[in-house]
Amino acid sequence: MMTTRSLRLGWFFLIAVGLERLAEGAVVFVEAPSGTVYYPPQGFPARDVRCVTNATTNISWFYTTGEKLDPAQYQITSAGTVSTLSASYQLFRALPGKAIQDDIYCNAGNTNSSTFDFKPGEVPSVANDPVDVIANAEKSVGFVCVHASTRPEPTIFTWRITDSTGTNRIANITGNYDRATREIAYDISAVQPSDAGNYTCLVTNEFDTATSKSAVLTVHYFLNVVVTVAPSTTVHDQTSVTVECRIDALPAATEIRLSRGDGLFFSSSNASLNRDELGTPKTEANHVTYTFTAKSDWTGTISCYGMNIAGSGDQTVNFTVQTRPIPPTLCLNETRTSTHSLSYLFVLGDDGNSAITQVTMSCYRVKSDDTMDKTTEYNKNTTDFKHPNCTTDELPGLIPGTKYGCQLYATNGVGRGEGSARFDVTTVKAAPAKPILDASPLTASETSLTVHWTVAYNGGEEITEYTVRRRGTATGGAIEFPHSLTNSLSQQEGTYTLQGLTRGTRYYVDVRAKNSVDTSTSDIVAYKTLCLPSAPGVVTAIVPDDFRESTRILRMEVPSDNGCGAIAKYIVSDDETPSYDVTWTTTDGSVDVLVRGLDSETEYSLQVSVENVDGAVSSLSEPVMFRTARMDLSTAPGLPNDGSMTGLIAGVVVAVLVVVCVIVAGVAMWLHRAKRERNTSTGRTATLGQIYDSPFSSSGTEMHQSPAYGVIPEEGGSSGSEVMHTSRAYGIVGERVATDSPMYATVL
């Protein structure tokens, strides 16, 4: 074999020889095509045929007959050492017979090129197209394409494969070409579903490529069966379940069957097998859906089987239906009670395909009619089991001497199961529950205390006696007051009044409850008798010096007895107000209580009580009654309203009051003179003693109430008759009396 090195040396030799010949003036070479040259078919561009030499002389073209080709006629062009003949279909159509009559060569100097033939070229074509193929998966299939005889013959043979998604891939199968038969074959030894698609044969020569019609490869297959269960293959009892069977097969499965562990429940070819309790199936090609409600006894398997002409297959999945657990049972019916508890042994039942997480002992008191009192549940939860052996536990907090109805329950992931059969137990009898004394006496006086207690249970035997004991100190000796049960005493509570006690003294009390079994004792509770102050002496009402009608001074004697503690406050009240705002001062054995917040022109009946530092409140004093007046000068503009006026301000107030009284007296006299004058505003006659709520005038002078009202004193009205003006009022002589709140003037 000639190596690259030897080829390189050969070329160097030829170049050297050529240079030597050029030096001698000889032609070294004339190069032109050899063999057969195909000129392009109609419609294709011309093909250039070149003759190349290193001679300096012109290049000429000849037939082997010696006829020289006319450059103009044969479209020959020369440029230096290259001469080009532009061969085309049109050229040789214009020279009939010339293309194949003789061989052609070119000459330069004394050297001729090798000869070559000019022949018309052809585009390739397909004589026989491939045909469609249908095959089962894993079988051998093949396609054959035959091309027509053309010049020049095709040299490239390929197959274009287009799959179902439209994706193309090219398979070069030149090795499968039979030149003698011109057949191009494409073989698949074990066809797969992915091989399905359109197969097209492509044949290429130096001019063009021919494309066959496409043949379709259809692959029949049966790949798999997939079973899905929603929401899960493990579900609770009565859950809605959807089973889907999907089959990957072509053509579509002709038979689909669904079955559960207990047998077939659906067949696409036998409707009589469809199970009504599972509902109606939804079927599509290669797809069956069933929706049903899971039942407690359906734990097992679910299978799907499918079949078509290419094969068959199935899939099985485990299916579990979880139910509430079966209740536990007592081991050997073993229970044991004490005064306050129940000990028991139990063994778990079936867990309903879901692990038991808790066992509950639930007990209720049994009533006299043998029914259970559901008011209070006594229960104990157990989470640590010794399955399959017996587990022991204890229920505390029971009442002595009480009958209980009990049941065992188990809980798993589904929920709490039904209870076991009821079994009854009775706790051991005991003393009554410890009595509970109220923190405060039911009633109390200076010489007695009434105490109250409750008892939670009697211990299984009736309480026959309560004993109340009192002491002077928490640890001192007790004085007992035993009492057999009477109508005022019961199994649940009792009261007792301790009498002959000392005023304001603390006593320490406990209670014992006794039945036929034993006695229980309460905790000691301290109570104190009252020490009440005496009620205030005679109470009188006094108008304050500052004439403030929203206040009154209640003057009384200091209580003779402060009730074991200093007086802390005075309480003034009536039927509507439990406590007025008051302040008080004590002087020489009497007390002045200033009451604030009274209303004008209102009847009051007030009573006074006192409270000492121990919180003891005296009885009420005798009531003191009075009526507030209509005009309160304390609220006139410029005067303070806090009761803290100096002597100077008080004097000014008194002076103003005198002026107002004089004005009121003048008004009263005028009213007396005008008592028969007609009211020009209302058409009424002003009458002495009548109340007016609209303007009236006399002798051309107006009086405006706006919306004041007035009481016209009777003629010769006595001292103390009142005239009331509200808002701003104008007198008959044009003088102005301004008030911003009700004013009261007294006729002197």
Side-chain angles (χ1 to χ4, degrees):
M1 178 180 293
M2 185 176 292
T3 64
T4 303
R5 176 180 174 81
S6 61
L7 288 172
R8 189 180 298 117
L9 291 174
W11 279 109
F12 288 157
F13 174 76
L14 290 175
I15 292 172
V17 173
L19 292 174
E20 182 181 356
R21 296 289 298 273
L22 283 173
E24 298 174 353
V27 175
V28 176
F29 67 87
V30 177
E31 183 181 29
S34 61
T36 303
V37 176
Y38 295 95
Y39 61 84
Q42 184 178 2
F44 284 78
R47 168 172 288 181
D48 290 342
V49 181
R50 298 195 308 168
C51 183
V52 180
T53 182
N54 60 352
T56 58
T57 57
N58 293 331
I59 301 173
S60 301
W61 296 77
F62 297 90
Y63 284 112
T64 54
T65 58
E67 179 184 353
K68 184 179 180 179
L69 277 65
D70 182 2
Q73 187 179 21
Y74 283 88
Q75 301 181 8
I76 297 172
T77 59
S78 296
T81 59
V82 178
S83 180
T84 303
L85 187 155
S86 182
S88 64
Y89 176 82
Q90 291 80 4
L91 171 64
F92 291 102
R93 289 285 294 176
L95 302 169
K98 291 291 185 181
I100 57 174
Q101 179 179 359
D102 293 297
D103 293 338
I104 297 175
Y105 64 91
C106 62
N107 173 271
N110 297 322
T111 304
N112 295 330
S113 71
S114 59
T115 61
F116 60 91
D117 288 338
F118 258 134
K119 293 184 178 180
E122 298 173 333
V123 296
S125 63
V126 176
N128 296 325
D129 294 306
V131 296
D132 295 344
V133 176
I134 299 175
N136 290 344
E138 301 296 334
K139 300 297 182 180
S140 297
V141 298
F143 295 95
V144 175
C145 169
V146 179
H147 71 82
S149 176
T150 55
R151 295 182 301 181
E153 290 189 355
T155 56
I156 300 175
F157 310 97
T158 56
W159 287 86
R160 184 175 63 216
I161 305 167
T162 306
D163 63 19
S164 59
T165 66
T167 302
N168 294 324
R169 59 188 175 90
I170 301 298
N172 192 331
I173 46 83
T174 303
N176 282 359
Y177 173 62
D178 187 335
R179 186 173 295 278
T181 60
R182 301 191 302 279
E183 292 181 350
I184 305 102
Y186 185 76
D187 298 322
I188 304 174
S189 60
V191 69
Q192 299 298 319
S194 59
D195 293 324
N198 296 330
Y199 286 73
T200 306
C201 174
L202 289 82
V203 181
T204 303
N205 69 3
E206 61 187 76
F207 291 112
D208 204 359
T209 297
T211 303
S212 72
K213 294 181 179 178
S214 295
V216 179
L217 172 59
T218 301
V219 180
H220 287 173
Y221 58 89
F222 193 103
L223 286 184
N224 55 36
V225 177
V226 177
V227 177
T228 58
V229 180
S232 172
T233 54
T234 299
V235 298
H236 294 174
D237 183 23
Q238 300 303 309
T239 299
S240 178
V241 177
T242 298
V243 175
E244 287 189 86
C245 177
R246 293 183 180 273
I247 298 173
D248 190 358
L250 184 73
T254 55
E255 174 71 5
I256 302 177
R257 301 173 192 164
L258 281 173
S259 60
R260 211 176 58 233
D262 62 349
L264 187 68
F265 64 80
F266 170 76
S267 171
S268 60
S269 62
N270 189 348
S272 63
L273 291 174
N274 298 345
R275 300 270 286 274
D276 292 340
E277 71 268 22
L278 296 181
T280 302
K282 296 180 180 179
T283 59
E284 300 174 6
N286 288 338
H287 183 205
V288 175
T289 301
Y290 241 119
T291 299
F292 55 86
T293 300
K295 296 184 178 180
S296 59
D297 59 347
W298 283 6
T299 294
T301 60
I302 293 179
S303 300
C304 180
Y305 167 84
M307 178 183 68
N308 71 355
I309 60 175
S312 63
D314 62 5
Q315 186 187 36
T316 299
V317 297
N318 292 321
F319 182 61
T320 302
V321 179
Q322 295 178 332
T323 62
R324 297 176 187 268
I326 300 298
T329 55
L330 292 173
C331 292
L332 303 175
N333 293 321
E334 177 92 16
T335 60
R336 187 178 294 109
T337 58
S338 65
T339 55
H340 293 282
S341 65
L342 165 66
S343 297
Y344 53 95
L345 290 167
F346 66 88
V347 64
L348 298 179
D350 184 84
D351 64 5
N353 296 313
S354 177
I356 294 175
T357 57
Q358 178 177 284
V359 170
T360 302
M361 172 67 80
S362 174
C363 298
Y364 293 94
R365 299 176 68 172
V366 177
K367 297 188 291 188
S368 58
D369 60 358
D370 202 43
T371 61
M372 292 195 295
D373 181 359
K374 297 286 187 175
T375 304
T376 303
E377 180 186 17
Y378 302 83
N379 60 67
K380 175 63 181 297
N381 295 323
T382 306
T383 57
D384 185 14
F385 315 119
K386 298 179 180 178
H387 190 68
N389 300 320
C390 292
T391 301
T392 183
D393 210 337
E394 182 178 15
L395 170 62
L398 302 181
I399 299 173
T402 303
K403 182 178 180 181
Y404 292 90
C406 301
Q407 292 176 283
L408 283 165
Y409 296 86
T411 302
N412 64 5
V414 181
R416 177 164 154 168
E418 295 182 356
S420 66
R422 169 184 156 182
F423 57 92
D424 293 343
V425 297
T426 302
T427 51
V428 177
K429 296 178 181 179
K434 182 172 70 174
I436 306 297
L437 277 164
D438 294 349
S440 300
L442 197 63
T443 61
S445 71
E446 294 188 334
T447 59
S448 66
L449 293 168
T450 299
V451 296
H452 173 263
W453 64 88
T454 57
V455 180
Y457 55 83
N458 62 14
E461 290 289 340
E462 290 189 355
I463 298 173
T464 57
E465 183 180 84
Y466 290 114
T467 299
V468 179
R469 305 189 301 176
R470 69 172 173 83
R471 300 175 174 83
T473 64
T475 59
I479 301 175
E480 298 187 353
F481 303 92
H483 274 267
S484 299
L485 264 65
T486 63
N487 291 337
S488 64
L489 301 175
S490 70
Q491 300 293 310
Q492 289 79 36
E493 64 178 342
T495 59
Y496 184 74
T497 301
L498 298 167
Q499 298 179 338
L501 306 180
T502 302
R503 178 187 187 209
T505 303
R506 192 177 302 277
Y507 292 92
Y508 298 87
V509 179
D510 65 22
V511 178
R512 288 183 170 182
K514 179 181 179 181
N515 66 7
S516 61
V517 179
D518 205 347
T519 300
S520 60
T521 304
S522 73
D523 294 332
I524 295 175
V525 178
Y527 301 109
K528 187 176 180 180
T529 54
L530 299 180
C531 187
L532 302 175
S534 60
V538 177
V539 180
T540 58
I542 302 173
V543 177
D545 292 339
D546 60 3
F547 200 53
R548 187 186 300 272
E549 288 302 326
S550 62
T551 64
R552 279 292 187 274
I553 293 176
L554 303 183
R555 182 165 294 169
M556 66 203 77
E557 297 177 355
V558 174
S560 60
D561 185 354
N562 62 12
C564 305
I567 300 299
K569 64 179 178 180
Y570 287 81
I571 304 170
V572 177
S573 61
D574 58 17
D575 293 340
E576 296 181 358
T577 305
S579 179
Y580 282 91
D581 178 23
V582 300
T583 58
W584 64 90
T585 57
T586 304
T587 306
D588 298 331
S590 65
V591 179
D592 284 353
V593 179
L594 178 64
V595 184
R596 300 185 181 90
L598 302 179
D599 294 331
S600 302
E601 196 182 6
T602 303
E603 297 284 352
Y604 284 96
S605 177
L606 303 181
Q607 291 178 285
V608 184
S609 60
V610 295
E611 181 179 332
N612 65 14
V613 292
D614 291 334
V617 180
S618 73
S619 58
L620 295 170
S621 69
E622 292 297 322
V624 57
M625 294 177 288
F626 60 89
R627 175 184 174 85
T628 55
R630 294 184 181 178
M631 182 172 63
D632 189 351
L633 290 179
S634 66
T635 59
L639 294 182
N641 193 27
D642 58 3
S644 59
M645 292 176 289
T646 64
L648 178 61
I649 296 176
V652 173
V653 171
V654 171
V656 172
L657 182 60
V658 171
V659 172
V660 171
C661 290
V662 171
I663 294 174
V664 171
V667 172
M669 293 176 63
W670 180 84
L671 291 175
H672 174 69
R673 290 194 302 271
K675 63 181 179 179
R676 295 304 180 184
E677 293 292 332
R678 183 167 184 79
N679 188 320
T680 60
S681 174
T682 61
R684 293 182 287 119
T685 301
T687 305
L688 293 178
Q690 184 173 351
I691 296 176
Y692 291 96
D693 57 0
S694 58
F696 64 92
S697 64
S698 177
S699 302
T701 303
E702 293 185 352
M703 171 179 282
H704 297 277
Q705 279 75 28
S706 61
Y709 58 90
V711 178
I712 309 302
E714 295 287 349
E715 182 176 3
S718 63
S719 175
S721 298
E722 297 177 339
V723 176
M724 178 179 179
H725 296 282
T726 63
S727 186
R728 297 183 181 274
Y730 295 87
I732 58 174
V733 294
E735 296 181 356
R736 179 176 178 180
V737 178
T739 62
D740 290 329
S741 61
M743 294 184 60
Y744 299 85
T746 303
V747 179
L748 301 178

